[in-house]
Amino acid sequence: MDYSLMMLAAATAGLLVALLITLVRAIAGPSLYDRVLAVNSFGTKIVLLIAAMGFLAGRPDFLDIALLYALVNFIGTLAVLKFFRYRNLGGASSIERKAETQR
């Protein structure tokens, strides 16, 4: 057996263990930001896993899927953090609406 495939299989197994540990942190995180960071880290590890599995399966088009998932993970994390900070994702906030009605 080729040693590069064995190393990639070992890296994939290591990624699966890291995913399990990250999932535990996402569930047991003491604060919201710890949980969001754990979910973002989970998504990053999934991107690495998709790329490794694509290489193991001989399907280089999995890299396109991994890049798309990385973009969705990044935008999703920003949206969640914005929502929990401002309590909305777009439009005028309640403070801005109050200021406009008082004019």
Side-chain angles (χ1 to χ4, degrees):
M1 183 173 200
D2 190 19
Y3 287 115
S4 63
L5 287 178
M6 286 176 41
M7 290 299 293
L8 196 60
T12 303
L15 275 171
L16 289 174
V17 170
L19 281 170
L20 181 66
I21 293 169
T22 306
L23 189 61
V24 169
R25 172 48 62 192
I27 293 170
S31 72
L32 171 75
Y33 295 108
D34 290 330
R35 288 187 175 110
V36 170
L37 183 63
V39 169
N40 188 16
S41 178
F42 189 83
T44 303
K45 287 175 181 68
I46 289 290
V47 168
L48 292 172
L49 187 65
I50 290 171
M53 295 300 284
F55 184 77
L56 281 174
R59 306 268 317 257
D61 49 339
F62 275 23
L63 289 178
D64 296 335
I65 297 169
L67 285 173
L68 180 66
Y69 190 80
L71 282 170
V72 169
N73 184 36
F74 176 71
I75 301 282
T77 301
L78 290 179
V80 167
L81 288 174
K82 181 180 177 184
F83 177 76
F84 282 112
R85 181 168 184 180
Y86 298 113
R87 295 293 179 210
N88 66 1
L89 288 177
S93 68
S94 60
I95 296 171
E96 292 172 349
R97 278 186 245 135
K98 286 180 185 178
E100 288 177 7
T101 57
Q102 291 175 354
R103 292 183 196 173

